[in-house]
Amino acid sequence: MAVTTAGRGRRRAAAQGAGATLGDRVDALERQGYRATPQRRAVLAAVLGAGRVNVSAEEVCGRARALCPTVNLATTYRTLDLLKRLGIVRRVIYGDGRGVFCANPDPHYHGTCLQCGTVVDLPRGRIADVLEREQRGLTDQAFAVVGHRVEFYGYCDACRSAGRTGSIL
Amino acid sequence: MAVTTAGRGRRRAAAQGAGATLGDRVDALERQGYRATPQRRAVLAAVLGAGRVNVSAEEVCGRARALCPTVNLATTYRTLDLLKRLGIVRRVIYGDGRGVFCANPDPHYHGTCLQCGTVVDLPRGRIADVLEREQRGLTDQAFAVVGHRVEFYGYCDACRSAGRTGSIL
DNA sequence: GGGGCCGATGAGAGTCATTCTCAACGCATT
DNA sequence: AATGCGTTGAGAATGACTCTCATCGGCCCC
Ligand SMILES: [Zn+2]
Ligand SMILES: [Zn+2]
Ligand SMILES: [Zn+2]
Ligand SMILES: [Zn+2]
């Protein structure tokens, strides 16, 4: 995959949602007044290309360097933070406090492997509305609940087939 | 509150659950072969005395020092980790990756204040079994789900009455 | 009632992810 | 060419947490 500067403004305006492409995110970036530098394109491509498995900032930086060798870890953090503010990526914290990044625009959950710490996307079921109903009842005079977050844990394919069932928690 | 060395072995054996006291935890500690040193008693008292609001290791250390001035931050971490292994405290990670400790033995949820980061205990509703049913359906060939964690977020009393509604996330 | 044993401790150094600082750079505008 | 400004790389700084190691304090045995 190569990162080019082509394509500005000649794509349909599918900025958000499941069908959004790399170019759409570049457009979104520029529409908000940010420059789509080679570094930012590379970070964007790296995090979008990670697929179902979520990636740490360091991994994103490594993948981005394959597309633009000058990408620096500080720039990676800066860009990921920018993308987070624009709603393009999510930052997920798992059990031991490390952060990973997810560019999946569809509503979904996250599952953390108890053995190796890998964080994968899981399809969304029908929990959300139950949780939303519940969270209204949780509000009392000491705390007003406005949202929630669910995290599942278990074992990834690699760890399961290797018979590893330890726990990092 | 003072931390004494008295009471070993002359309390009823209510080691776990809602009615457990400081002394019960001391017993549990010694029954497993660990010494109930003044430092450990102080850390235990500090984390038990925190109430509904969960506390960071540094806060625990500060509170513990009021009971035993020699308590060190390293000892606080060591003791909290020991208490976690014994099931006496829980470590909760909130949105920005910081850890807080909770000694509430009853099943309950945690709510994080989006403004100040305070983590409070919230009563458990009837979500748990819905989630457990759901998590079975989430298991596929790429990930085996074995558990889950829910975290609510909102605004604590202090921030609400001060009209602060920012977000640390 | 002194000596060894061993778990526990304090102080400080080390680690690791993340953030900050600052001089240099790219690129557009004059 | 000179100016301006958003962006960048390198490295220092931060902050939560962990590790190392010399020392401490009971405890058992003689
Ligand atoms: Zn995701
Ligand atoms: Zn795994
Ligand atoms: Zn709690
Ligand atoms: Zn608050």
Side-chain angles (χ1 to χ4, degrees):
Chain A
M1 190 197 307
V3 176
T4 73
T5 54
R8 179 182 334 184
R10 50 178 158 81
R11 255 167 274 93
R12 72 204 173 292
Q16 311 262 4
T21 67
L22 173 60
D24 294 326
R25 324 294 170 105
V26 171
D27 286 350
L29 206 58
E30 297 188 319
R31 226 178 304 117
Q32 318 257 341
Y34 299 99
R35 287 193 208 154
T37 64
Q39 290 88 344
R40 284 181 176 161
R41 287 169 191 271
V43 168
L44 199 37
V47 73
L48 287 176
R52 189 180 171 183
V53 175
N54 298 183
V55 280
S56 69
E58 198 137 11
E59 286 162 3
V60 171
C61 184
R63 289 159 172 271
R65 278 200 176 117
L67 309 171
C68 172
T70 72
V71 175
N72 181 277
L73 188 54
T75 299
T76 303
Y77 274 108
R78 280 189 289 239
T79 303
L80 288 171
D81 190 61
L82 173 61
L83 296 176
K84 193 180 72 183
R85 292 198 312 272
L86 297 182
I88 293 171
V89 304
R90 270 208 269 171
R91 186 162 180 260
V92 183
I93 306 278
Y94 70 75
D96 69 349
R98 243 172 289 245
V100 290
F101 294 87
C102 168
N104 184 341
D106 303 318
H108 64 281
Y109 298 126
H110 290 114
T112 302
C113 178
L114 288 167
Q115 168 71 36
C116 70
T118 298
V119 178
V120 305
D121 287 355
L122 294 173
R124 167 158 250 162
R126 34 223 120 70
I127 314 179
D129 41 322
V130 181
L131 284 169
E132 263 148 36
R133 230 175 302 125
E134 180 85 357
Q135 82 190 15
R136 264 176 254 130
L138 286 175
T139 291
D140 62 16
Q141 75 279 9
F143 197 84
V145 178
V146 303
H148 67 266
R149 208 161 60 90
V150 200
E151 178 195 351
F152 292 93
Y153 44 92
Y155 295 98
C156 76
D157 189 30
C159 290
R160 243 190 317 164
S161 46
R164 294 189 295 261
T165 55
S167 175
I168 57 176
L169 297 184
Chain B
M1 189 197 306
V3 177
T4 72
T5 52
R8 179 183 331 186
R10 51 179 158 80
R11 254 168 276 91
R12 74 204 172 294
Q16 312 261 5
T21 66
L22 174 59
D24 293 325
R25 323 294 170 107
V26 171
D27 286 350
L29 207 57
E30 297 188 319
R31 228 178 303 115
Q32 318 256 340
Y34 298 99
R35 289 193 207 154
T37 64
Q39 289 88 345
R40 284 181 176 162
R41 287 167 191 271
V43 168
L44 199 37
V47 72
L48 287 175
R52 188 180 171 183
V53 175
N54 298 182
V55 280
S56 69
E58 199 138 9
E59 286 163 3
V60 171
C61 185
R63 289 160 172 271
R65 280 204 175 113
L67 308 171
C68 172
T70 72
V71 176
N72 182 277
L73 187 54
T75 299
T76 304
Y77 274 109
R78 279 189 289 239
T79 304
L80 287 170
D81 190 60
L82 173 61
L83 296 176
K84 192 181 71 183
R85 290 198 314 270
L86 297 182
I88 293 170
V89 305
R90 270 209 270 171
R91 186 160 180 260
V92 183
I93 306 277
Y94 70 74
D96 69 348
R98 243 172 289 246
V100 289
F101 295 88
C102 168
N104 185 341
D106 304 319
H108 63 282
Y109 298 127
H110 290 113
T112 302
C113 178
L114 288 167
Q115 168 72 36
C116 69
T118 297
V119 178
V120 305
D121 287 354
L122 294 172
R124 168 157 249 162
R126 44 222 120 61
I127 312 179
D129 39 324
V130 180
L131 284 170
E132 263 148 36
R133 226 174 308 123
E134 180 84 358
Q135 81 190 16
R136 262 176 257 131
L138 285 175
T139 291
D140 60 16
Q141 75 280 7
F143 198 84
V145 178
V146 304
H148 66 266
R149 209 161 60 91
V150 200
E151 178 195 350
F152 292 93
Y153 44 94
Y155 295 97
C156 75
D157 189 32
C159 290
R160 243 190 316 166
S161 47
R164 295 189 296 262
T165 55
S167 176
I168 57 176
L169 297 185

